[in-house]
Amino acid sequence: DCRQYTNRSCEECLKNVTCLWCASSRRCMEYPVRRILPPADLCELRSARWGVCWVNFEALIIAMSVVGGTLLVMLGVCCCCCCCKKKSKKQVSRGTFLSTRPDKDDERAAREREKRRVRQEERRAEMKSRHDEIRRKYGTV
């Protein structure tokens, strides 16, 4: 029975794992196992000790919330990084990200470049034929 350790010390009370120590009233009582946290009418969270005397429930809740929140944020960041890594492939030479499969914009740009190159070749050939014609006309060939 945990009540026999009332008005003794926290360490004596918590030797039995089923006991809860309330520091404000110096009472040792059975831990209310049907509830996760002891109710306020039994003992305030800042005064309740269970397992070890140096950690109260209030600090334990805050610490677990911070650790849990940090883990969730880290998990979210890892998931985002993994998804982004799969979607794009880093091109070292240009320092830009290209998708692993050429998209429609890249294909369209390549077709436009090819059309411009062909037109430029046609213009050069036309200019060369004009210059050759002018040279023949004036006999500079």
Side-chain angles (χ1 to χ4, degrees), residues 94-111:
R94 287 173 48 190
T96 60
F97 288 96
L98 292 177
S99 52
T100 56
R101 185 176 47 153
D103 61 355
K104 292 179 181 180
D105 291 336
D106 291 341
E107 290 174 5
R108 188 180 314 126
R111 283 194 302 268

Side-chain angles (χ1 to χ4, degrees), residues 32-107:
V33 291
R34 291 196 175 125
R35 303 179 112 189
I36 296 173
L37 299 174
D41 60 334
L42 190 64
C43 186
E44 292 181 354
L45 288 180
R46 70 176 65 123
S47 297
R49 310 284 194 270
W50 181 71
V52 290
C53 292
W54 53 272
V55 177
N56 63 31
F57 269 93
E58 196 172 52
L60 184 65
I61 291 170
I62 292 169
M64 294 304 287
S65 299
V66 169
V67 169
T70 304
L71 288 175
L72 285 175
V73 168
M74 288 172 55
L75 181 67
V77 168
C78 287
C79 287
C80 288
C81 288
C82 289
C83 290
C84 290
K85 204 174 212 181
K86 285 182 180 179
K87 286 183 180 179
S88 62
K89 179 181 175 183
K90 188 173 183 180
Q91 185 184 29
V92 178
S93 63
R94 287 173 48 190
T96 60
F97 288 96
L98 292 177
S99 52
T100 56
R101 185 176 47 153
D103 61 355
K104 292 179 181 180
D105 291 336
D106 291 341
E107 290 174 5

Side-chain angles (χ1 to χ4, degrees), residues 108-130:
R108 188 180 314 126
R111 283 194 302 268
E112 290 294 322
R113 279 194 302 271
E114 184 61 27
K115 285 180 184 178
R116 275 188 249 124
R117 189 188 63 74
V118 169
R119 280 194 302 245
Q120 189 177 13
E121 291 293 324
E122 290 172 354
R123 284 191 203 120
R124 279 189 189 143
E126 188 180 317
M127 289 297 285
K128 186 176 188 249
S129 69
R130 278 191 201 159

Side-chain angles (χ1 to χ4, degrees), residues 20-39:
L20 170 75
W21 176 258
C22 187
S24 60
S25 64
R26 297 185 50 82
R27 288 186 338 181
C28 187
M29 60 197 90
E30 294 286 326
Y31 187 86
V33 291
R34 291 196 175 125
R35 303 179 112 189
I36 296 173
L37 299 174

